[in-house]
């Protein structure tokens, strides 16, 4: 895969959400990145490990999660191309959760040493990456509210709307919908419900003519009811430098 393709999604997202300068873009484009291919449902960094590099998602979908002693897993967040979901490992040396692939992924790895040198050399880039970790925190807060306070159909609608807004930022939404390649079990893990319950919720949204999820593709059938059900306020995504 060409090096410019590897960095394109990250640069595109930073240009929109953080107002990155051309000089900073050149610094990011010069980063040495080791590209590796991962199959679906494969750990990238495990809970308890000491990471020495950060992971840039080039293609595919990843998730952060926690697994309790009984083996039950809670998906904490979804991650898409252009995101570096383990930036915190630069300063929190032991991972306290898992980062794993949901689909086959192309991942680019940047050493911690390289990123620290970049941050010292280009403090504005360091601020942009810090902003990314703060947005992660905002998303975690919203997911806590979503799982804790909304009924299951609204939980799923909210996750779908959030994912659509983030995918739209990198040009991955079209007139027919967008990709959400999660199994029913993974949807249940993201919503805090069983896979059987997740199946009922997916069927309910389709039968009510609101949204359809089929073969990992979301098609919105009624935009107004979809947004109303999700109870979505886009501000927490901070997709503009002014937010």
């Amino acid at each position: 895969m060409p090096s410019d393709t590897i960095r394109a999604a990250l640069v595109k997202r930073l240009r929109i959400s953080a107002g990155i300068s051309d000089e900073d873009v050149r610094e990011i484009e010069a980063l040495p990145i080791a590209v590796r291919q991962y199959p679906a449902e494969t750990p990238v960094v495990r809970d308890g490990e000491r990471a020495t590099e950060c992971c840039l998602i080039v293609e595919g979908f990843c998730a952060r999660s926690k697994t309790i002693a009984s083996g039950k897993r809670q998906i904490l967040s979804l991650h898409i191309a252009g995101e570096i979901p383990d930036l915190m490992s630069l300063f929190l040396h032991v991972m306290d959760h898992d980062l794993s692939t949901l689909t086959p992924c192309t991942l680019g790895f940047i050493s911690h040493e390289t990123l620290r040198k970049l941050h010292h050399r280009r403090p504005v880039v360091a601020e942009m990456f810090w902003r990314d970790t703060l947005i992660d925190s905002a998303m975690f807060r919203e997911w806590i509210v979503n799982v804790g306070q909304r009924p299951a159909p609204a939980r799923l609608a909210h996750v779908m709307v959030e994912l659509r807004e983030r995918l739209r930022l990198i040009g991955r939404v079209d007139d027919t919908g967008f990709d959400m390649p999660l199994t029913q079990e993974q949807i249940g893990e993201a919503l805090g419900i069983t896979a059987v319950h997740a199946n009922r919720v997916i069927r309910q949204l389709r039968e009510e003519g609101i949204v359809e999820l089929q073969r990992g593709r979301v098609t919105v059938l009624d935009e107004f009811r979809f947004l109303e059900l999700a109870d979505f306020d886009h501000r927490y995504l901070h997709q503009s430098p002014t937010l």
Side-chain angles (χ1 to χ4, degrees), residues 208-227:
E208 292 181 0
I210 298 173
V211 66
E212 182 170 24
L213 175 61
Q214 190 172 31
R215 297 187 178 91
R217 184 81 177 168
V218 175
T219 303
V220 178
L221 306 175
D222 188 323
E223 179 70 17
F224 177 80
R225 293 173 66 201
F226 182 45
L227 293 177

Side-chain angles (χ1 to χ4, degrees), residues 44-105:
V44 180
V45 188
R46 295 180 185 272
D47 191 345
E49 288 185 351
R50 290 180 175 268
T52 59
E53 53 193 1
C54 288
C55 164
L56 166 65
I57 303 173
V58 181
E59 287 292 341
F61 290 75
C62 291
R64 289 190 284 189
S65 63
K66 291 280 288 187
T67 302
I68 62 175
S70 67
K72 291 184 178 180
R73 183 174 75 156
Q74 178 70 47
I75 289 179
L76 307 169
S77 57
L78 304 177
H79 294 278
I80 61 174
E83 297 182 350
I84 305 178
D86 58 350
L87 270 173
M88 77 292 295
S89 68
L90 269 173
F91 304 103
L92 301 177
H93 303 301
V94 178
M95 286 289 285
D96 57 23
H97 61 280
D98 296 316
L99 172 64
S100 56
T101 62
L102 293 173
T103 66
C105 286

